[in-house]
Amino acid sequence: MITKFMKPLAFVPMLLGVNLLSGQELTNKNLPVNELMPQIANLYNQRSDPAKSASLMKELQAMRINANEEYVNYAAMLYKKLGQDATADSVKAELLQRFPKGIQARAAYLKELEPKRKTLNGADLESEYRKFLTTFPRNTFAEGAKQHPYDLLAADVIRKYVSEGNYAKIDEILKDFDGRTNAEVYLRIQATGALLRKNEDKEALRISQVAYDIASGKTGKADETVFLGSALSVYSQALMRNNRPEEALARVEEMKKLGQGMGSWATNETIFKSLVQLNRNEEAFKFLDNVLKNSTGDNTAYFAMLEPVYKKLYPNKAFSEYTDALKANAEVNKLAAVKASMVDEVAPDFTLVDLSGKEVSLSAYKGKIVILDFWATWCGPCIASFPGMQAAVDKYKNDPDVVFLFVNTSESDANYKKKVEELMTKNNYSFHVLLDNKEFKKPNVGNLYGVQALPTKVMIDKNGKIRFKYSGSSSDVKSVVAETDAKINILKAI
């Protein structure tokens, strides 16, 4: 899911009672960015006032030429938000020239490297990682969230070496993170997950035990423990895999106290199998039975794990009868969960232009179930969901009571319409696309429907009421079709 609006503005509320300075005075004070942004955002929010608008534009001009890269970047985002796309693009170009070793240059470098991260072997990927460290030294950037690109790239290198069975290299990479406790714990968690997937249980135990010791403060190195829950999760799995069930369950108890990691497949598997290893079969069955009775999903993997224990406990009962009852119960749970997510709002009418230039109004579909899919060409999750949405469209193509409208919104590229057409043609998508963009001088339907993130789907019943509104989507075709199908069936029954 991608947030539709710029994050600095989306999450900064209007500040009431702030005594704002005017005309470049804010920028020239060289405040920390987290102090400057709320005050500039307040000017933005009050830009309908000519004086505030004039002050905002002067501040943006000053930010644009400021020596602080974050100021310049924030100015580019605001210009974009104001619809001044050409200015925003110019500021971004200037930014890369002025700060060739800065945050945005680093981001551009990583973007160029991205395709190689999956194809290179371990040694070559490590070489790229070392080059990145030299080109953009970590210590030249402020500690905190901006450090994560180093951790993510290092994690890719580690996972690559795990896939190649070169486990000694893991320790070499980890040496780079000595003293950065959260980063080291994070990387050890990533390494352990990869090792567990390869069934390299002893190596997984070695790596995860150190992660747990650091995160829990046993080594004296930890000053933060943000990854303790995840460290406990992989460590408990590794303990169970190495036939140390009592220790595995003890670590799970620590997770319970933290309130983290409970309910996941990995934790449930650890609890169940640890109990079985301790010959506490009845307790193991009761635990997993409770999990399954509250489930709404596909439990095939759980059934495979449970079957031997069930047959041992109930040799005269058919396991299939037990699982059939659970499957029926899961459908009931799923239906209840879907119904609980329903809303009841009047769907605002609108008129937009489709790719052929024809005007299309929501009111034309009165008496039908309408699914609006808000998306953009730059939105990866939107594009990833399209194979599933095409399958849903195909399923209902002969149903006169169901209509799908794909509302293309929030585009900034001047050639976005061509991109939309190429995307539809290349993938043979039979979507009815509507263009929700400014040059058509129509109401912005994304704003009208309160769309804050892409993709967002809005499902309208036959009476013109919004009944479902949800953001995000899956790339799994069956999952997308199943979710869409379940909600359409509910709307048909209204």
Side-chain angles (χ1 to χ4, degrees):
M1 180 175 70
I2 294 181
T3 303
K4 177 184 174 186
F5 302 113
M6 304 296 180
K7 289 185 179 180
L9 290 177
F11 295 103
V12 177
M14 183 179 290
L15 301 180
L16 301 177
V18 174
N19 182 21
L20 285 173
L21 300 169
S22 62
Q24 304 181 33
E25 292 185 21
L26 288 170
T27 302
N28 290 340
K29 287 178 78 71
N30 286 318
L31 300 168
V33 173
N34 65 340
E35 293 181 23
L36 174 74
M37 282 169 49
Q39 299 190 60
I40 297 294
N42 197 37
L43 281 176
Y44 174 89
N45 291 330
Q46 297 184 54
R47 67 191 183 281
S48 57
D49 179 335
K52 301 292 186 185
S53 178
S55 291
L56 174 63
M57 298 315 296
K58 288 180 180 178
E59 293 289 351
L60 289 178
Q61 291 169 15
M63 291 166 67
R64 178 175 183 171
I65 62 173
N66 195 273
N68 185 327
E69 181 189 3
E70 291 185 279
Y71 275 39
V72 183
N73 188 48
Y74 188 43
M77 291 196 301
L78 283 168
Y79 278 123
K80 191 80 167 179
K81 185 66 178 170
L82 288 165
Q84 299 184 25
D85 295 350
T87 304
D89 291 342
S90 294
V91 175
K92 287 181 180 178
E94 293 166 9
L95 189 148
L96 290 173
Q97 290 180 347
R98 292 177 58 203
F99 305 96
K101 299 292 185 180
I103 297 168
Q104 294 306 311
R106 184 180 67 174
Y109 186 98
L110 286 171
K111 185 176 181 180
E112 187 176 342
L113 177 61
E114 186 64 32
K116 302 178 184 178
R117 289 167 76 156
K118 292 182 180 180
T119 59
L120 293 177
N121 61 34
D124 289 342
L125 186 58
E126 183 183 358
S127 178
E128 291 286 353
Y129 165 67
R130 302 292 178 192
K131 181 180 176 183
F132 177 61
L133 289 177
T134 302
T135 307
F136 298 95
R138 184 170 187 151
N139 59 10
T140 62
F141 295 89
E143 290 287 341
K146 295 184 180 62
Q147 294 297 92
H148 80 277
Y150 300 92
D151 307 343
L152 296 176
L153 185 52
D156 281 353
V157 176
I158 285 174
R159 283 190 289 266
K160 186 69 70 171
Y161 278 132
V162 169
S163 70
E164 295 172 357
N166 194 345
Y167 306 138
K169 278 289 187 177
I170 297 174
D171 295 311
E172 286 187 25
I173 301 298
L174 288 171
K175 287 178 183 177
D176 294 342
F177 293 85
D178 187 38
R180 293 188 175 92
T181 55
N182 278 327
E184 182 179 350
V185 172
Y186 165 77
L187 291 172
R188 287 182 177 276
I189 291 166
Q190 297 302 308
T192 303
L195 289 163
L196 289 170
R197 287 189 290 274
K198 279 194 69 179
N199 296 315
E200 294 286 357
D201 299 335
K202 289 184 178 179
E203 194 68 18
L205 182 61
R206 180 182 74 84
I207 297 291
S208 62
Q209 182 167 355
V210 178
Y212 167 69
D213 288 345
I214 295 172
S216 61
K218 290 187 176 182
T219 63
K221 291 169 63 176
D223 52 3
E224 295 180 73
T225 56
V226 294
F227 292 116
L228 178 56
S230 298
L232 281 164
S233 178
V234 295
Y235 184 40
S236 63
Q237 290 176 65
L239 286 166
M240 178 271 292
R241 294 273 197 97
N242 284 274
N243 296 306
R244 291 163 62 176
E246 291 180 343
E247 294 172 83
L249 291 173
R251 301 293 79 77
V252 169
E253 287 301 313
E254 288 186 53
M255 291 169 63
K256 284 183 183 178
K257 290 177 182 177
L258 283 176
Q260 296 180 17
M262 303 306 296
S264 68
W265 158 264
T267 302
N268 289 340
E269 179 191 35
T270 298
I271 294 171
F272 178 80
K273 290 187 174 180
S274 294
L275 291 170
V276 171
Q277 288 172 9
L278 292 167
N279 291 316
R280 292 157 59 179
N281 290 326
E282 288 188 17
E283 191 177 345
F285 170 74
K286 288 179 181 178
F287 165 75
L288 203 52
D289 179 64
N290 184 62
V291 170
L292 292 167
K293 283 179 177 175
N294 289 286
S295 171
T296 62
D298 180 358
N299 295 308
T300 304
Y302 279 128
F303 292 159
M305 189 164 63
L306 181 60
E307 186 172 10
V309 173
Y310 184 90
K311 288 182 175 180
K312 186 180 292 186
L313 291 173
Y314 307 105
N316 298 319
K317 293 184 178 181
F319 186 62
S320 60
E321 290 183 12
Y322 172 73
T323 56
D324 287 345
L326 286 172
K327 290 175 184 177
N329 187 67
E331 289 302 314
V332 171
N333 291 343
K334 184 188 298 183
L335 185 61
V338 171
K339 286 184 175 180
S341 69
M342 293 182 73
V343 297
D344 186 1
E345 303 171 7
V346 175
D349 193 19
F350 61 83
T351 300
L352 292 175
V353 177
D354 66 15
L355 289 175
S356 68
K358 178 183 176 182
E359 289 194 347
V360 177
S361 298
L362 178 65
S363 56
Y365 300 106
K366 186 176 180 180
K368 299 180 185 293
I369 294 168
V370 180
I371 297 93
L372 304 178
D373 189 333
F374 291 88
W375 68 285
T377 56
W378 48 261
C379 170
C382 301
I383 307 305
S385 73
F386 277 179
M389 290 306 296
Q390 181 64 61
V393 169
D394 289 343
K395 181 170 183 177
Y396 286 93
K397 65 182 178 182
N398 296 319
D399 189 328
D401 295 323
V402 179
V403 175
F404 289 82
L405 299 174
F406 290 79
V407 184
N408 174 254
T409 190
S410 300
E411 298 283 4
S412 59
D413 192 314
N415 296 317
Y416 77 88
K417 187 171 181 286
K418 182 179 179 182
K419 288 185 176 181
V420 172
E421 292 170 334
E422 289 175 348
L423 180 68
M424 296 300 116
T425 302
K426 179 182 177 181
N427 296 282
N428 294 316
Y429 291 142
S430 59
F431 300 160
H432 191 177
V433 176
L434 307 183
L435 302 173
D436 184 28
N437 293 291
K438 58 191 176 186
E439 68 267 30
F440 296 105
K441 295 182 170 49
K442 300 291 182 181
N444 186 294
V445 179
N447 290 341
L448 193 64
Y449 277 76
V451 174
Q452 295 294 318
L454 298 178
T456 286
K457 293 177 180 59
V458 176
M459 301 184 74
I460 302 167
D461 70 14
K462 292 175 286 187
N463 300 310
K465 293 286 191 74
I466 296 174
R467 292 298 188 172
F468 296 106
K469 180 178 177 181
Y470 52 104
S471 298
S473 191
S474 170
S475 59
D476 180 72
V477 172
K478 290 183 179 179
S479 174
V480 172
V481 174
E483 180 177 25
T484 306
D485 200 33
K487 291 176 178 176
I488 288 175
N489 287 335
I490 290 174
L491 297 187
K492 282 191 170 188
I494 294 176

